[in-house]
Amino acid sequence: GALLEMRDVTKVYPNGVMANYKVRFSLREGEIHAIVGENGAGKSTLMKMMFGMEEPSEGEILLRGEKVKLASPQDAIDRGIGMVHQHFMLVPSFTVAENMVLGMEPKKGLGIHFAEAVRMTEEMSRKYNLAVDPKAKVENLTVGMKQKVEILKALLRGAKILILDEPTAVLTPQETEELFRELRLLKDQGHTIVFISHKLKEVKAICDRITIMRAGRSEDAFRTADVTEQE
Ligand code: ADP
Ligand code: ADP
């Protein structure tokens, strides 16, 4: 069965725009699955519904076969879904460690101490082989580093499914290579990845399966290996 499934999901915005129409998306455990489509195809809308930022007008979302309602990003996080936003949701004037624990439930009414945040960041950084400096200020980091922080932040919150929104749009070719290596490592560690992109060519290098969206509709997913053979 699927880990995450969008079953005939339709989204009509209040202004009447139908951004998704009966979209079907099925995510298998342990895969890297790309959602590809041109601007306006409905990728962001689908992604927002997977992360509780928008609710479907019609259709169902299933997690491990069970129907779920994702009413907020916190709902999605609680269910092991993490998001790496295209424009990072980090506080620039704060350190990496502070950003890592930002918004996390302090235990028994106590805030998480800076030293503890640094320790947690170092531990996550080691575990996932994502080198970040806990004490660096986010505003001084390259985009590639900021992205690593966002990935670690999602993992610290227990993400098993990681959704990346156009993750390479802001990266240099070298940073892209590095990201791809990291994603393969995460996959080896049992994570499942949704990779949103508007470049089909790019995702072929990293994704196991691809779902193409066109004008708010989804096409059946295909294996990357199959297209590569055809060419
Ligand atoms: P993509 O991510 O593939 O570019 P989007 O999901 O952002 O596609 O957009 C799909 C369609 O929905 C577009 O026509 C877009 O203008 C429209 N749209 C996206 N977000 C909203 C919104 N909040 N309100 C109204 N229309 C929206
Ligand atoms: P992206 O494709 O990266 O989401 P966009 O420029 O399409 O970038 O959209 C930026 C933001 O504006 C998104 O949050 C999107 O949902 C929203 N948006 C897009 N189109 C519309 C629209 N027609 N009306 C209202 N909000 C929209």
Side-chain angles (χ1 to χ4, degrees):
L3 176 56
L4 172 70
E5 186 184 342
M6 308 296 282
R7 193 178 283 176
D8 293 326
V9 167
T10 293
K11 176 67 188 182
V12 182
Y13 283 111
N15 64 356
V17 172
M18 190 184 282
N20 275 194
Y21 179 71
K22 290 194 174 176
V23 168
R24 286 175 166 259
F25 174 73
S26 178
L27 185 65
R28 294 178 190 161
E29 183 139 26
E31 71 175 351
I32 303 182
H33 193 140
I35 298 173
V36 179
E38 316 244 299
N39 276 334
K43 305 182 297 297
S44 293
T45 300
L46 181 60
M47 168 209 86
K48 285 177 184 171
M49 289 189 288
M50 288 181 199
F51 194 60
M53 295 165 77
E54 291 285 354
E55 283 195 67
S57 311
E58 272 178 66
E60 294 178 350
I61 303 175
L62 294 94
L63 258 175
R64 297 191 166 83
E66 187 192 323
K67 197 179 152 183
V68 291
K69 185 166 138 63
L70 304 175
S72 67
Q74 191 58 51
D75 259 5
I77 291 166
D78 290 345
R79 292 179 182 278
I81 302 170
M83 170 73 71
V84 176
H85 297 271
Q86 187 178 2
H87 308 289
F88 312 114
M89 309 293 262
L90 302 169
V91 183
S93 62
F94 284 13
T95 63
V96 168
E98 285 163 334
N99 270 280
M100 283 289 286
V101 300
L102 201 70
M104 277 178 60
E105 283 284 302
K107 285 181 196 117
K108 293 173 189 157
L110 295 166
I112 298 170
H113 289 291
F114 184 65
E116 172 67 359
V118 169
R119 194 196 59 74
M120 285 162 91
T121 306
E122 280 168 349
E123 189 185 314
M124 295 301 289
S125 170
R126 251 196 320 275
K127 182 171 176 193
Y128 294 103
N129 201 24
L130 284 161
V132 296
D133 174 3
K135 292 179 183 174
K137 268 198 183 176
V138 162
E139 63 198 0
N140 297 329
L141 302 181
T142 62
V143 271
M145 290 301 288
K146 286 179 195 164
Q147 191 175 64
K148 284 179 214 262
V149 176
E150 273 242 326
I151 293 172
L152 285 178
K153 203 175 157 170
L155 294 169
L156 183 62
R157 282 155 182 73
K160 296 301 291 171
I161 300 172
L162 204 55
I163 304 169
L164 296 115
D165 183 17
E166 303 266 359
T168 62
V170 289
L171 301 183
T172 64
Q174 196 192 329
E175 286 171 332
T176 299
E177 275 308 303
E178 206 174 320
L179 172 69
F180 284 7
R181 269 200 305 278
E182 285 154 4
L183 294 184
R184 288 192 192 97
L185 195 72
L186 285 173
K187 178 185 142 123
D188 290 343
Q189 287 172 316
H191 290 85
T192 305
I193 293 158
V194 179
F195 188 121
I196 293 153
S197 172
H198 62 271
K199 290 182 250 171
L200 181 58
K201 203 173 169 186
E202 165 189 279
V203 301
K204 284 182 186 171
I206 179 78
C207 295
D208 303 302
R209 290 200 301 150
I210 299 173
T211 292
I212 292 189
M213 290 199 66
R214 281 201 179 92
R217 293 169 192 253
S218 59
E219 298 182 356
D220 289 343
F222 56 84
R223 286 172 54 225
T224 314
D226 293 343
V227 271
T228 321
E229 278 159 23
Q230 282 165 21
E231 283 173 357

